[in-house]
Amino acid sequence: MTEEIAIIGAGLGGLTCALALVRAGRRVVVYEQAPQLGEVGSGITLSPNSSRIMMALGLEQGMRRLGVVPPKQLTQNMQTGKVLIERERGNLAEQQYGAPYIHLHRADLHSLLADAVEAAQPGAIRLGHQLSAI
């Protein structure tokens, strides 16, 4: 029998870890204290380093469907609005780094990960479980 790996927390980190382990042939159980997974947070930016990992885990199609690849990135002064730094993104970033610089709603990325974990190993995510001791 293959040992199960316990992962505490079904946030972005826990689910990404779980999916990577499942894709590597390991059995996982993800314990989450919340009674259900739901919409938490707002927008999130995945740099090419992060989006490359999501692509390797098989999430490219969903990531591109739900996300937006901005043509530029601006850093502005909060009080004046003056543009301090302007960087090209879009196709240029993907050509340079081999993966997109992409914006997603955090809940969309979370759902992509949770759905992929459940599809790869049904029942891996267990809700309503709180860690009390190790």
Side-chain angles (χ1 to χ4, degrees):
M1 181 172 162
T2 304
E3 288 184 10
E4 289 183 333
I5 298 170
I7 297 171
I8 309 304
L12 295 178
L15 292 175
T16 302
C17 181
L19 185 57
L21 287 166
V22 168
R23 297 272 196 251
R26 303 301 302 265
R27 295 208 36 89
V28 301
V29 179
V30 181
Y31 295 100
E32 171 56 49
Q33 69 179 352
Q36 65 185 24
L37 297 180
E39 188 170 321
V40 177
S42 56
I44 187 167
T45 299
L46 296 181
S47 69
N49 290 342
S50 300
S51 64
R52 184 179 300 107
I53 291 167
M54 296 303 164
M55 291 166 64
L57 293 174
L59 301 180
E60 180 175 8
Q61 185 178 12
M63 191 175 64
R64 290 187 186 274
R65 177 175 45 83
L66 296 168
V68 174
V69 176
K72 294 181 187 260
Q73 175 189 5
L74 303 177
T75 302
Q76 296 174 277
N77 180 294
M78 184 176 76
Q79 284 139 355
T80 67
K82 179 182 175 189
V83 175
L84 304 173
I85 301 169
E86 183 174 334
R87 291 185 178 93
E88 291 294 321
R89 294 296 185 203
N91 293 334
L92 179 64
E94 190 160 359
Q95 289 168 2
Q96 286 180 314
Y97 305 113
Y101 179 89
I102 191 165
H103 297 300
L104 294 135
H105 191 286
R106 187 184 181 286
D108 289 340
L109 179 58
H110 192 256
S111 291
L112 277 176
L113 287 162
D115 292 347
V117 170
E118 280 296 317
Q121 187 187 310
I125 301 171
R126 302 204 184 145
L127 302 174
H129 288 76
Q130 186 173 20
L131 177 66
S132 60
I134 293 181

